[in-house]
């Protein structure tokens, strides 16, 4: 395809000899910077009739209305043979009410041959009659022409006709209960399952963390493997004191027998030690502009980054793509709130510390893990600092209950020392770009909390999160889990002896425990009991603290399975086309019946389970054979919006939109389809789904689409955001997520190849 251009206000592309085969696609466009909504452009003259063009210049009675492409541009496209006769036309303007006389453009007729305008392009000038003076309107004219193969034309026509098909599920209500398929259970033999569902279990791509002690998955001391000095504060919240230690190796884990012997004196400042990269790979230092702390807004891959210095009155534009992530890797409300907080909030409010408070065995670490996972999934740079892990690294794993007595000055000093080290690590990480730190410890006295607030003063905002449980049955269960999983008792061979020691430790904490009454706080009272519990909130404000409270209100520890599966294979899956609203293929229909049999076997005793689908017919049809459970349609569960690429294959995108294809290959997480969505957009619209999944106490089956299930799975598996576009979610496979007090377990069932 060749192209031509002109200095006049218009352009034309296309230079054909008519020997290449195919058809000539022509697009006429006109543009006017002065928006006139009362006038609609038309084309008249030689007109297309059933794929041909009548070149008779005597036909002047017909005109074709141009379609509005944007606020300023109107477009009319058509297809003719490459060797067509000369097309003669003009533009005219008609009033929207069709009552005023139409106005024809000034000048000679326009002649189009082989995709080129004879005599070059010129502006379309209209002389509008007025009561006093005539008004002149000038439109820029564009002519775009290209050869299109008959196969592409046929594919486009097929997609167009398919989009015109009425939906097969239009009469299905958004919420239905016990709706049986109209056609009955035909071909049942092809959809039958083995009696033992374990026959269909396949390996999961990631290991379950349910049997791993949660504190072992938290942040290691940043100075691990380096010489360092950490600070020690007295219990009254006085000035920090220096205590010199050395971490010899980064390869030891908290449960090593000789871990208490790892520390020796040193004189190197902790501030000289660089932070480990965040778990999602999104961390980097804040952008600097003119020596000042700057605000950096990530507008997506390839977009300019606008930077505002703290002392500047305007924005500067850095056209180079940068990996700096001072803002969360997020879209929508999360990004908007972060920008507002950075620009308008106090400096200390730009970082947030959630400080856990509570007696042992009250679910503090489990709550911290869930909150960390949620915030990371939303795109906030979040880390979980567990003081117990620091204690085991500093003082070893074999500390008897005497170590935790409130009247043991050496024990109190040692515990405050490691708490100060963890707090110092968290604050240093925040200074380098961290956003939310979860400080996980008992923090059971006002003196300890005063020490923490003193260290955080002017550096971050603190919210205390107190977990309270009065259910002795749940406390006993948690204590048993502690003895089974905690490194503190891995060398204790006598389970009952471990139970006695831990209960003595618990009694020591209870003697000095002081409930939170100071500062901003959230109290979770009996939230793990399964009876609802209650939340008490004091002095909480801001977007992110509000989201955290909303999440905590809806979270609980009731064990239940969540089943994730894609719809059965669709006709577009067979053709390799993305998006659309196609019906199921034959294989997809078989899977829908196999899935119904699986659900009936797996959830036969779960009468309160529910089925969630998107509003697209391929998910609704997949759920149709399932009976006995309520079905709810969610618009939020729809596939990622491919925008202008909807209905295309990736090969077609690569051929016809190479720049879009390359942009997507470079950064699939942030890439947004033209007039469509990115994965970050999908995460934002899925937040209500996650909140409701956390709130539900009964099993839920989610029948959705690949991009959506990747995002949901990443939340439960705590996968980094950058990995979401590559997560494997194959067709005809069920991913069972088991949520409970021990963490998250995963099992996969493959019902069909």
């Amino acid at each position: 395809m060749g192209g031509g251009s002109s200095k006049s206000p218009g352009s034309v592309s296309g230079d054909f000899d008519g020997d290449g085969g195919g058809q000539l696609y022509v697009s006429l466009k006109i543009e006017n910077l002065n928006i006139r909504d009362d006038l609609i452009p038309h084309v008249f003259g030689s007109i297309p009739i059933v794929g041909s063009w009548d070149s008779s210049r005597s036909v002047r009675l017909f005109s074709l209305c141009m379609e509005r492409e944007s606020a300023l541009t109107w477009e009319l496209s058509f297809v003719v043979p490459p060797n067509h006769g000369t097309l003669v036309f003009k533009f005219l303007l008609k009033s929207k009410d069709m009552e005023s006389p139409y106005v024809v453009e000034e000048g000679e007729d326009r002649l189009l041959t082989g995709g080129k305008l004879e005599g070059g392009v010129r502006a379309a000038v209209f002389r509008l009659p007025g009561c006093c003076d005539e008004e002149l309107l000038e439109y820029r004219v564009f002519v775009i022409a290209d050869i299109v193969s008959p196969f592409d034309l046929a594919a486009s026509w097929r997609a167009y006709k398919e989009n015109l098909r009425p939906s097969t599920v239009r009469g299905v209500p958004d919420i239905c209960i016990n709706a049986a398929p109209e056609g009955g259970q035909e071909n049942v033999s092809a959809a039958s399952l083995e009696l033992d569902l374990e026959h269909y279990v396949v390996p999961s791509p990631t290991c379950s963390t349910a049997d791993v002690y949660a504190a072992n998955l938290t942040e290691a001391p940043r100075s691990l493997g380096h010489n360092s000095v950490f600070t020690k504060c007295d219990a009254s919240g006085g000035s920090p004191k220096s205590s010199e230690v050395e971490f010899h190796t980064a390869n030891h884990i908290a449960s090593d027998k000789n871990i208490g012997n790892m520390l020796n004196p040193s004189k190197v400042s902790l501030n000289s030690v660089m932070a480990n990269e965040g778990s999602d790979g999104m961390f980097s230092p804040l952008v600097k502009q003119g020596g000042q702390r700057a605000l950096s807004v990530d507008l997506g891959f390839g977009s300019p980054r606008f930077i505002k210095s703290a002392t500047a009155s305007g924005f500067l534009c850095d056209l180079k793509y940068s990996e700096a992530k001072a803002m969360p890797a997020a879209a929508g409300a999360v990004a908007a709130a972060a920008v507002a907080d950075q620009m308008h909030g106090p400096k200390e409010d730009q970082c947030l510390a959630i400080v856990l408070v509570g007696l042992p065995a009250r679910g503090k670490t489990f709550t911290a893990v869930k909150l960390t996972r949620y915030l990371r999934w939303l795109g906030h740079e979040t880390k979980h600092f567990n003081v117990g892990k620091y204690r085991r690294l500093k003082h070893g794993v074999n500390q008897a209950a005497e170590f935790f007595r409130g009247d043991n000055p050496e024990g109190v000093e040692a515990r405050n020392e490691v708490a100060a080290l963890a707090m110092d690590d968290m604050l240093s990480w925040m200074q380098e770009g961290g956003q939310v730190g979860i400080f996980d410890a008992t923090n059971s006295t006002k003196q300890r909390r005063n020490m923490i607030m003193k260290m955080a003063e002017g550096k971050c905002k603190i919210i205390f999160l107190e977990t309270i449980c009065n259910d002795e049955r749940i406390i006993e269960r948690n204590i048993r889990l502690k003895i089974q999983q905690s490194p503190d008792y891995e060398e204790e061979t006598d389970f009952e002896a471990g139970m006695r020691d831990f209960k003595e430790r618990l009694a020591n904490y209870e003697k000095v425990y002081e409930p939170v009454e100071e500062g901003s706080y959230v109290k979770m009272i009996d939230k793990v009991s399964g009876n609802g519990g209650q939340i008490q909130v004091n002095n909480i404000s801001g977007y992110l603290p509000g989201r955290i409270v909303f999440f905590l209100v809806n979270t609980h520890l009731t064990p239940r399975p969540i089943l994730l599966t894609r719809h059965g294979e669709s006709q577009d899956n067979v053709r390799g086309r993305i998006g659309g609203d196609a019906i199921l293929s034959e294989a997809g229909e078989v899977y829908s019946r196999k899935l119904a049999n699986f659900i009936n076997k797996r959830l036969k005793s779960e009468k309160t389970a529910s089925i969630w689908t998107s509003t697209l017919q391929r998910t609704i049809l997949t759920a149709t054979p399932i009976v006995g459970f309520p079905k709810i349609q969610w618009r939020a569960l729809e596939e990622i919006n491919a925008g202008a690429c909807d209905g295309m294959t990736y090969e077609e995108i690569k051929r016809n939109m190479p720049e879009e294809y390359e942009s997507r290959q470079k950064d699939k997480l942030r890439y947004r389809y033209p007039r469509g969505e990115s994965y970050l957009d999908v995460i934002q619209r899925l937040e209500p789904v996650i909140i409701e999944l956390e709130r539900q106490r009964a099993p839920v089956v989610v029948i959705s689409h690949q991009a959506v299930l990747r995002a949901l799975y990443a939340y439960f598996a705590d996968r980094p955001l950058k990995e979401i576009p590559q997560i494997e979610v194959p067709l005809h496979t069920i991913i069972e997520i088991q949520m409970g007090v021990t963490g998250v377990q995963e099992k996969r069932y493959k019902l069909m190849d």
Side-chain angles (χ1 to χ4, degrees):
M1 170 179 167
S5 62
S6 173
K7 294 182 180 180
S8 61
S11 64
V12 59
S13 65
D15 188 11
F16 309 100
D17 56 17
D19 297 330
Q23 297 291 301
L24 180 62
Y25 168 85
V26 181
S27 173
L28 302 177
K29 297 185 180 184
I30 62 174
E31 177 187 73
N32 190 312
L33 299 181
N34 297 320
I35 301 176
R36 289 289 300 265
D37 291 328
D38 58 324
L39 297 175
I40 302 176
H42 286 65
V43 174
F44 85 110
S46 304
I47 62 172
I49 300 176
V50 195
S52 64
W53 194 283
D54 183 356
S55 59
S56 172
R57 297 186 60 181
S58 62
V59 180
R60 297 289 190 180
L61 300 178
F62 298 96
S63 64
L64 297 175
C65 179
M66 303 184 77
E67 298 290 336
R68 188 158 216 160
E69 187 178 63
S70 68
L72 306 176
T73 308
W74 297 78
E75 190 259 357
L76 175 69
S77 59
F78 52 88
V79 176
V80 292
N83 56 353
H84 65 86
T86 298
L87 309 180
V88 184
F89 68 95
K90 272 192 171 185
F91 296 104
L92 62 83
L93 298 178
K94 288 186 178 182
S95 63
K96 185 177 293 186
D97 56 17
M98 297 299 178
E99 294 180 359
S100 303
Y102 58 82
V103 181
V104 182
E105 69 167 310
E106 300 284 308
E108 299 294 326
D109 291 345
R110 297 178 184 269
L111 307 178
L112 181 70
T113 304
K116 297 181 65 176
L117 282 174
E118 296 183 10
V121 293
R122 70 175 190 271
V125 178
F126 299 89
R127 193 178 300 274
L128 304 181
C131 57
C132 298
D133 298 325
E134 292 183 334
E135 178 184 359
L136 288 181
L137 281 182
E138 184 174 300
Y139 285 77
R140 288 168 54 93
V141 176
F142 302 86
V143 180
I144 302 173
D146 199 357
I147 288 290
V148 182
S149 75
F151 302 102
D152 288 339
L153 283 175
S156 298
W157 178 252
R158 183 178 65 244
Y160 171 74
K161 295 295 288 183
E162 288 174 354
N163 287 336
L164 289 180
R165 290 179 182 174
S167 172
T168 60
V169 297
R170 187 172 301 278
V172 178
D174 289 350
I175 302 175
C176 59
I177 301 177
N178 294 331
E182 294 181 0
Q185 295 281 0
E186 68 273 9
N187 197 18
V188 174
S189 60
S192 61
L193 294 176
E194 298 286 342
L195 292 177
D196 185 5
L197 296 182
E198 296 297 315
H199 174 79
Y200 299 96
V201 173
V202 295
S204 299
T206 57
C207 297
S208 169
T209 61
D211 296 327
V212 179
Y213 187 55
N216 284 349
L217 302 176
T218 60
E219 296 302 316
R222 303 176 67 201
S223 48
L224 196 62
H226 301 271
N227 294 335
S228 67
V229 171
F230 68 87
T231 57
K232 175 175 67 177
C233 296
D234 59 34
S236 63
S239 60
K241 300 178 181 178
S242 177
S243 180
E244 299 165 347
V245 299
E246 177 182 358
F247 292 106
H248 283 296
T249 175
N251 297 322
H252 288 73
I253 60 173
S255 57
D256 279 352
K257 294 182 179 180
N258 299 319
I259 205 164
N261 301 321
M262 292 169 56
L263 310 172
N264 287 322
S266 172
K267 296 184 179 181
V268 181
S269 171
L270 176 65
N271 294 331
S272 66
V273 182
M274 293 300 295
N276 294 329
E277 187 175 5
S279 62
D280 60 2
M282 309 296 284
F283 170 78
S284 65
L286 286 172
V287 176
K288 300 284 185 177
Q289 181 70 27
Q292 302 291 329
R293 182 175 294 273
L295 169 64
S296 175
V297 184
D298 186 2
L299 299 179
F301 187 84
S303 300
R305 300 174 59 80
F306 295 94
I307 299 173
K308 183 177 182 181
S309 170
T311 58
S313 59
F315 282 93
L316 302 175
C317 182
D318 178 11
L319 294 178
K320 296 181 179 179
Y321 178 72
S322 171
E323 289 297 328
K325 294 292 183 296
M327 306 301 294
V334 171
V339 169
D341 288 346
Q342 289 274 14
M343 296 182 68
H344 305 299
K347 178 182 177 182
E348 60 268 22
D349 285 0
Q350 296 177 11
C351 298
L352 178 63
I354 305 298
V355 178
L356 274 295
V357 177
L359 292 168
R362 263 56 175 185
K364 296 185 302 300
T365 297
F366 181 81
T367 301
V369 167
K370 294 191 73 169
L371 187 55
T372 301
R373 185 177 72 222
Y374 170 70
L375 294 174
R376 283 176 178 169
W377 183 78
L378 284 180
H380 297 281
E381 184 69 23
T382 306
K383 284 190 176 183
H384 178 187
F385 296 83
N386 180 269
V387 175
K389 187 172 185 177
Y390 281 69
R391 170 180 54 79
R392 286 185 284 273
L393 287 170
K394 175 67 169 67
H395 299 289
V397 298
N398 296 318
Q399 297 297 329
E402 293 293 318
F403 180 81
F404 301 94
R405 287 176 51 180
D407 57 357
N408 178 356
E410 292 81 8
V412 171
E413 182 179 11
R415 287 184 281 124
N416 284 336
E417 187 178 56
V418 292
L421 173 59
M423 189 68 185
D424 199 36
D425 276 0
M426 186 174 73
L427 294 174
S428 297
W429 168 74
M430 287 179 174
Q431 288 296 309
E432 296 166 354
Q435 294 171 321
V436 184
I438 312 293
F439 189 78
D440 181 10
T442 55
N443 300 314
S444 54
T445 65
K446 290 183 179 180
Q447 288 182 330
R448 164 70 72 82
R449 297 193 291 270
N450 287 338
M451 179 191 80
I452 292 172
M453 288 191 290
K454 184 73 173 180
M455 293 183 68
E457 187 174 354
K459 298 178 181 178
C460 69
K461 180 178 181 178
I462 282 186
I463 295 177
F464 292 111
L465 175 56
E466 184 176 13
T467 60
I468 300 172
C469 180
N470 299 306
D471 191 324
E472 294 296 332
R473 177 179 52 86
I474 292 177
I475 295 173
E476 181 73 13
R477 180 195 64 187
N478 291 346
I479 292 175
R480 290 184 173 275
L481 286 174
K482 280 274 190 180
I483 305 305
Q484 293 170 358
Q485 296 184 344
S486 174
D488 286 346
Y489 294 98
E490 68 175 10
E491 296 181 3
E492 177 59 71
T493 58
D494 186 344
F495 183 83
E496 294 302 324
M499 288 283 291
R500 289 192 297 272
D501 179 83
F502 189 86
K503 288 183 177 181
E504 185 178 347
R505 178 195 301 190
L506 179 57
N508 289 332
Y509 275 107
E510 288 175 336
K511 292 176 183 177
V512 297
Y513 186 79
E514 297 173 289
V516 175
E517 296 176 347
E518 65 272 22
S520 300
Y521 63 78
V522 178
K523 291 176 181 277
M524 300 177 63
I525 304 173
D526 291 329
K527 284 290 292 179
V528 300
S529 65
N531 298 320
Q534 59 178 295
I535 293 278
Q536 294 181 5
V537 179
N538 181 69
N539 194 25
I540 300 295
S541 63
Y543 175 83
L544 187 54
R547 299 310 303 167
I548 290 173
V549 170
F550 186 63
F551 175 78
L552 295 174
V553 166
N554 289 283
T555 191
H556 58 86
L557 305 183
T558 305
R560 77 279 191 199
I562 295 174
L563 278 63
L564 309 177
T565 183
R566 290 173 65 183
H567 54 80
E569 182 189 64
S570 71
Q571 292 183 354
D572 276 346
N573 290 140
V574 176
R575 293 189 288 258
R577 300 192 176 278
I578 63 176
D581 192 19
I583 61 175
L584 299 180
S585 67
E586 291 185 5
E589 292 175 355
V590 173
Y591 177 71
S592 70
R593 295 191 290 271
K594 283 181 174 287
L595 177 64
N597 289 338
F598 178 91
I599 297 301
N600 289 334
K601 291 176 182 290
R602 176 65 184 84
L603 303 179
K604 60 183 178 181
S605 61
E606 302 285 354
K607 300 305 181 183
T608 57
S610 57
I611 315 296
W612 297 0
T613 71
S614 74
T615 61
L616 297 176
Q617 57 182 340
R618 55 189 182 274
T619 63
I620 299 173
L621 292 174
T622 302
T624 298
I626 303 174
V627 297
F629 302 99
K631 302 171 190 174
I632 301 99
Q633 297 177 25
W634 285 68
R635 181 71 181 269
L637 290 175
E638 289 189 5
E639 179 62 295
I640 186 171
N641 184 355
C645 300
D646 190 79
M648 301 174 68
T649 67
Y650 288 116
E651 185 60 35
E652 289 172 345
I653 297 174
K654 183 177 182 180
R655 182 174 67 250
N656 300 321
M657 308 170 71
E659 293 183 357
E660 294 296 331
Y661 184 85
E662 289 300 321
S663 294
R664 181 177 177 274
Q665 293 298 110
K666 290 178 181 178
D667 191 345
K668 292 183 179 180
L669 177 68
R670 292 175 180 80
Y671 171 76
R672 180 177 289 124
Y673 286 100
R675 299 193 296 275
E677 288 183 305
S678 68
Y679 271 94
L680 292 180
D681 295 327
V682 172
I683 289 173
Q684 290 307 303
R685 66 169 157 95
L686 284 177
E687 186 188 10
V689 178
I690 288 296
I691 295 295
E692 186 58 25
L693 285 174
E694 286 286 357
R695 195 186 70 84
Q696 291 280 324
R697 298 180 182 271
V700 176
V701 180
V702 180
I703 304 174
S704 189
H705 310 268
Q706 181 169 247
V708 169
L709 294 180
R710 281 172 169 168
L712 292 178
Y713 176 83
Y715 168 78
F716 292 112
D718 197 16
R719 296 282 289 273
L721 290 180
K722 64 181 180 180
E723 294 182 8
I724 289 179
Q726 286 78 40
I727 292 176
E728 182 183 0
V729 185
L731 283 170
H732 304 158
T733 301
I734 301 166
I735 304 174
E736 180 177 325
I737 304 294
Q738 186 72 42
M739 300 179 64
V741 68
T742 59
V744 176
Q745 293 177 309
E746 175 189 349
K747 182 182 287 188
R748 295 197 176 201
Y749 303 88
K750 189 170 184 61
L751 303 189
M752 293 173 56
D753 293 326

